[in-house]
Amino acid sequence: MSAAFTTKVLDLATGRSETVTDLTSACEDFLREAAAGRDGLLNLFVPHATAGLALLETGAGSDRDLLTALHHILPADDRWQHRHGSPGHGRDHVLPALVPPHATLPVVNGRLVLGTWQSVCLVDTNKDNPERQVRMSFLG
């Protein structure tokens, strides 16, 4: 593999409840080694049909607000055609259309460039799958 491209898979235990998991520190740790002071792009990809990635403020309630908004947009009830798993699980399969399973972010001097209050987050509403992966790739 070229030195310009480095990838790593991050394994996460998200548990059996809906979660917004801050990945910013894991991204920064990966870039310290992979980018080594260079400019480029960090690409993140979640290889799951029921999870996505979001940039948002965490710790001030926005993470809970996002989950609440998703409940309003995608209620966990019996309206969904996709019916295996826990009740309302079909909505989890619609989630990646609204919260995409990918993000590409700028890296300058080996550091992730985010706005003042932005964090990189995994959004997981699927209570049936407590284990997740995020593929982090740096292209310098």
Side-chain angles (χ1 to χ4, degrees), residues 13-53:
T14 55
R16 298 244 178 235
S17 61
E18 298 179 355
T19 62
V20 174
T21 303
D22 191 335
L23 304 175
T24 309
S25 292
C27 292
E28 291 169 343
D29 291 346
F30 169 69
L31 288 171
R32 263 191 287 287
E33 186 176 322
R38 297 178 291 154
D39 294 350
L41 297 171
L42 173 65
N43 181 265
L44 302 166
F45 177 69
V46 179
H48 301 285
T50 59
L53 294 164

Side-chain angles (χ1 to χ4, degrees), residues 14 18-23 46 48 50-56 63 66-67 70 92 95-96 99-101 120-126 132 134:
T14 55
E18 298 179 355
T19 62
V20 174
T21 303
D22 191 335
L23 304 175
V46 179
H48 301 285
T50 59
L53 294 164
L55 295 179
L56 73 153
D63 36 359
L66 174 59
L67 292 175
L70 289 171
D92 299 327
L95 174 79
V99 181
V120 181
C121 297
L122 173 71
V123 179
D124 184 3
T125 60
N126 183 356
R132 297 297 185 169
V134 178

Side-chain angles (χ1 to χ4, degrees), residues 71-140:
H71 271 279
H72 289 293
I73 297 167
L74 304 171
D77 57 23
D78 64 357
R79 74 183 68 198
W80 307 100
Q81 299 293 314
H82 188 104
R83 292 186 184 265
H84 77 81
S86 60
H89 174 65
R91 78 178 188 120
D92 299 327
H93 287 275
V94 177
L95 174 79
L98 302 174
V99 181
H102 57 86
T104 301
L105 305 168
V107 176
V108 176
N109 294 323
R111 301 203 46 162
L112 188 58
V113 178
L114 294 172
T116 301
W117 302 112
Q118 287 181 317
S119 295
V120 181
C121 297
L122 173 71
V123 179
D124 184 3
T125 60
N126 183 356
K127 299 174 187 179
D128 297 335
N129 188 352
E131 304 293 326
R132 297 297 185 169
Q133 292 185 330
V134 178
R135 179 173 293 279
M136 302 181 292
S137 301
F138 174 72
L139 177 61

